[in-house]
Amino acid sequence: MTKTSSAKTNSGRFFEDYAVGDVLHHAVPRTVSGGERALYHALYPARHALYSSDEFARQSGLPKSPLDDLAAFHVVFGKTVPDVSLNAVANLGYAEGRWLLPVYEGDTLRSESEVIGVKQNSNGKSGVVYVRTRGLNQRDEVVMEYVRWVMVRKGDLDAPAPETVIPELNKIIPAEDLVIPEGLDFSDYDFGQAGEAHRWGDYQVGEMIDHVDGVTIEEAEHMLATRLWQNTAKVHFDATARPDGSRLIYGGHVISMARALSFNGLANAQMIVGLNGGAHANPCSSGMTVRAWSEVLGKAETSAPGVGAIRLRLVATSGAEPFTLKGDDGKYLPGVLLDLDYWALMPI
Amino acid sequence: MTKTSSAKTNSGRFFEDYAVGDVLHHAVPRTVSGGERALYHALYPARHALYSSDEFARQSGLPKSPLDDLAAFHVVFGKTVPDVSLNAVANLGYAEGRWLLPVYEGDTLRSESEVIGVKQNSNGKSGVVYVRTRGLNQRDEVVMEYVRWVMVRKGDLDAPAPETVIPELNKIIPAEDLVIPEGLDFSDYDFGQAGEAHRWGDYQVGEMIDHVDGVTIEEAEHMLATRLWQNTAKVHFDATARPDGSRLIYGGHVISMARALSFNGLANAQMIVGLNGGAHANPCSSGMTVRAWSEVLGKAETSAPGVGAIRLRLVATSGAEPFTLKGDDGKYLPGVLLDLDYWALMPI
Amino acid sequence: MTKTSSAKTNSGRFFEDYAVGDVLHHAVPRTVSGGERALYHALYPARHALYSSDEFARQSGLPKSPLDDLAAFHVVFGKTVPDVSLNAVANLGYAEGRWLLPVYEGDTLRSESEVIGVKQNSNGKSGVVYVRTRGLNQRDEVVMEYVRWVMVRKGDLDAPAPETVIPELNKIIPAEDLVIPEGLDFSDYDFGQAGEAHRWGDYQVGEMIDHVDGVTIEEAEHMLATRLWQNTAKVHFDATARPDGSRLIYGGHVISMARALSFNGLANAQMIVGLNGGAHANPCSSGMTVRAWSEVLGKAETSAPGVGAIRLRLVATSGAEPFTLKGDDGKYLPGVLLDLDYWALMPI
């Protein structure tokens, strides 16, 4: 019996492995249940009533509470990691994210990504890859989609640079392109049960909201979350993977934490339907106390009864003062962790 | 686009905001599932068979395992925090707690509280508020109720003192007022599967039980638990909220931990039906090793077949010797965390 | 009212309390749900598609995703702890483990163990006890079985030594004794969705696979896991129970962590059907970064369509180089935590 070392493990794709037009079918479909829903509530201070109460969801025209929109995003995103970002140097941005169908208990999600852009960096050692990712359910319906671009190392420095393709992306998703879940109706909305009285008409463009509360982050929690989404990037789990012995927290953990904290002031921003853009401004690690503030960036009417759309900037911080974002040099302040631009649905 | 800071966040109620007779309808109803049940078993060493096994519950006359009685309490309690204890200085006591209906997967709980007493403190800076809280399910049935009183800061020190009203409360719920779940029948009770042979007749009033086991508390665990109940009090999550940088552990976490530890010696004290009183004697923080002991305070017969009621003192400690409670000065010893007085149901 | 200390707590069995032929009916049956399944995915980086996706399971001939085989093992094992290993000095080995029926949501598991061997140690202070444990569902069907032997302290040093009985145990379960779940069919296996292209025919006996990834272990996580399986051994929870103040991590936590890490290189080793043997070579405690490697020890055909059996050595390490196991003295290297020998099912 001879012993031979095998090369069966996935070392991830490098920059030269991506070509515009490639479609990557990501592995490991996932069925979600009440367990994922309960865990989402244990991991984040999530209190939006539509996701907490089947009764509230039914009163809003849905069959029952869907999985939190960000949980659906994390499941779809997690599947892409082995194929898209295992050798990523940086997660550069998001655009054109849309939630197209609610995800319910018993649904099975899978993901696929189309390469829509590549650009080798001038140093010749890495490049930027743009992918449009779609999450699909067991009926092959697209439940969400988004564009992400990442900087990826080259594996073979001698590989020729591909022709540069940079996709044209909307800076902001036009309100008329947002998809409102079928049947959604806020005409009979119970503001008391939702937790706040402020309706769509009460928010002004330019208004800033300090969400006040903070959560000090623990290693065990972000690892539980990140594993739940089957995100395998080793920097999140392996304290020996980074020179300083710290674990880098999955950016999506910060998104969910900030969104949940934003309940206090935005309890009626119930459903997320669009992701216009987002930057993980600075890395997050355990021991930080995460806080959040929001800015109203826009408003739009929708065709659904009683439902308005609100465009929000959601900023997660650790140490930065509320409502401060960038320094005089135009760079994010060190205490800013996340700058996210999204569309949510609110009772008018 | 002008930027204006909004005042849409909830800063909580102050003492002068409560008037006897007010009814507070707490926000964010919650649907529970198998996820909450599994998490309860992951967070606490809970082993009472009625809550662990659907088969055991059916053999006891119930349709299946209910949610743990304390989990139901935590869900109901958590909803009251934003309206009752966000500005509380101290959680002073509980009384007249009764579990009226088991909670099952798929049930949606909400809470409401009636203000039944107020008394301004002589310093003029705070006062005591008494509320009777009820948890209701989606059929508007009351699943549990309890009285709690808290010390709350005044927001406006010039607000006039209200007329003092102190409710008359039973020190002990009379056994005949306890509500036994419909159909409960312990005549065919399987002591082997339950884990201990000791039945109601084997316990003597005055008997003391050392539950032996201990659990060293971690930050991540108490935060997961407290969030799961949507309890938002910032002292539990934000290490910067208290001068010493420690997080105060939700008192209910200590109750559940002690109750679960009490399995070892009280495995057959299956269902909690009454909460006579309780004091969080000293704060709990991470790193403490929690242990528990119990004292049999009373016994009563019930009308349900094979079912007896037992009144128990449950004491959680960290460092205090078993069976010690107060010092010569009548105050709780520093190592005593919890002193709870409750009624449970046992096979006779 | 006199206060008397009771002796109602379980102090566990000692060596002299076991006699060959005894059958122990372990307490606290457990119903599993989607909550246990979601928690398993949060606690371990588990990605085998058959357990992640109901659709993938159906395509493989099963009604839906079963509970992870190791989760079923942990539930069955956990119940035995109060009767078998509460006073154990060491967990010495496993043999003849077989998974006989998949466990699905809604199933209720209980355990029983038959004492099949005893041997007092020459020091007269302890002895080795062999038990064959069976896990049964609510239909009294055996879902799994395994032999375990542990070293247990004597409670009464004067108790006479029993007649030595050492059971004859298979070193390796013959492939023809493995039980393939009814209906399992890998003829239509989707390697893309499973995550790797390597099929049964691609693995060679003697082949070694480095699973590359690592997870740094946190206290909160192993305690959540161990409690979920209702394993009550105090060394896992009570930092004051061991002289050095560390908590000993449940060996099964290391098994599940290593198995989940082995996805990277063995994504198609879907179902575990046999446990030939296993040693917890060194204790694991928090702060360690666990990695894993595997060796192909054998292969066999099965009667199920498209299904092959593969025998694997799974080694968990913390600090030891991949593919190193024992030193010149024949003892496990200090950085080796686990050496497990099991049979899995793979698409041919």
Side-chain angles (χ1 to χ4, degrees), chain B residues 145 169 182 284:
Chain B
E145 59 176 17
L169 298 169
E182 198 181 322
C284 182

Side-chain angles (χ1 to χ4, degrees), chain B residues 8-336:
Chain B
K8 289 197 167 68
T9 48
N10 174 24
S11 53
R13 287 165 163 260
F14 294 94
F15 177 68
E16 66 271 20
D17 300 326
Y18 297 91
V20 171
D22 283 355
V23 177
L24 313 173
H25 298 274
H26 307 298
V28 190
R30 170 63 163 272
T31 306
V32 297
S33 79
E36 277 77 8
R37 182 174 163 188
L39 269 164
Y40 197 83
H41 282 89
L43 290 163
Y44 306 107
R47 289 191 286 150
H48 287 90
L50 192 71
Y51 300 90
S52 179
S53 163
D54 284 352
E55 303 298 323
F56 194 96
R58 280 193 268 270
Q59 206 175 330
S60 304
L62 301 182
K64 60 178 177 172
S65 281
L67 188 68
D68 193 283
D69 305 308
L70 290 176
F73 169 74
H74 295 318
V75 171
V76 171
F77 181 100
K79 309 206 165 322
T80 71
V81 168
D83 299 315
V84 174
S85 43
L86 215 59
N87 296 309
V89 183
N91 197 17
L92 298 172
Y94 304 101
E96 297 190 356
R98 293 192 306 162
W99 281 258
L100 304 172
L101 272 180
V103 175
Y104 293 103
E105 292 175 31
D107 280 355
T108 299
L109 301 183
R110 59 190 173 85
S111 305
E112 55 185 45
S113 299
E114 184 181 347
V115 180
I116 60 169
V118 289
K119 178 182 180 300
Q120 182 165 312
N121 287 332
S122 54
N123 64 13
K125 294 180 179 168
S126 57
V128 177
V129 178
Y130 296 78
V131 294
R132 187 181 302 274
T133 295
R134 291 184 184 86
L136 299 103
N137 66 18
Q138 70 278 15
R139 289 178 298 275
D140 289 328
E141 299 161 335
V142 180
V143 301
M144 79 161 306
E145 59 176 17
Y146 64 90
V147 171
R148 174 162 80 118
W149 55 105
V150 293
M151 191 184 301
V152 182
R153 284 197 301 274
K154 289 184 77 168
D156 171 9
L157 295 183
D158 297 331
E163 188 184 352
T164 293
V165 177
I166 297 180
E168 274 190 57
L169 298 169
N170 279 318
K171 288 267 183 222
I172 302 158
I173 301 165
E176 57 269 26
D177 289 353
L178 300 174
V179 176
I180 315 296
E182 198 181 322
L184 191 73
D185 181 343
F186 283 160
S187 354
D188 193 27
Y189 192 90
D190 186 333
F191 288 87
Q193 287 295 287
E196 289 181 354
H198 326 303
R199 54 178 72 229
W200 183 80
D202 296 330
Y203 289 87
Q204 313 301 324
V205 172
E207 184 172 347
M208 315 282 272
I209 304 153
D210 179 2
H211 301 301
V212 180
D213 302 314
V215 174
T216 307
I217 304 282
E218 296 291 320
E219 299 283 14
E221 291 182 337
H222 76 79
M223 292 202 297
L224 286 169
T226 308
R227 266 196 296 255
L228 186 59
W229 321 126
Q230 298 178 307
N231 177 334
T232 60
K234 67 178 66 177
V235 287
H236 307 320
F237 300 104
D238 180 348
T240 69
R242 284 158 47 97
D244 66 354
S246 77
R247 275 164 275 190
L248 180 69
I249 291 176
Y250 164 47
H253 190 66
V254 179
I255 295 177
S256 277
M257 190 60 80
R259 158 71 175 167
L261 289 170
S262 79
F263 177 91
N264 198 342
L266 283 167
N268 297 319
Q270 289 283 1
M271 303 192 88
I272 299 183
V273 286
L275 176 63
N276 296 306
H280 297 292
N282 282 290
C284 182
S285 55
S286 77
M288 289 185 179
T289 298
V290 174
R291 297 174 195 284
W293 59 269
S294 292
E295 177 181 358
V296 180
L297 296 177
K299 293 173 67 178
E301 295 182 350
T302 82
S303 59
V307 179
I310 186 166
R311 194 183 139 218
L312 295 159
R313 177 199 296 279
L314 173 63
V315 178
T317 64
S318 172
E321 289 299 306
F323 315 141
T324 64
L325 197 61
K326 296 182 177 177
D328 294 338
D329 56 2
K331 290 184 180 165
Y332 285 110
L333 296 172
V336 172

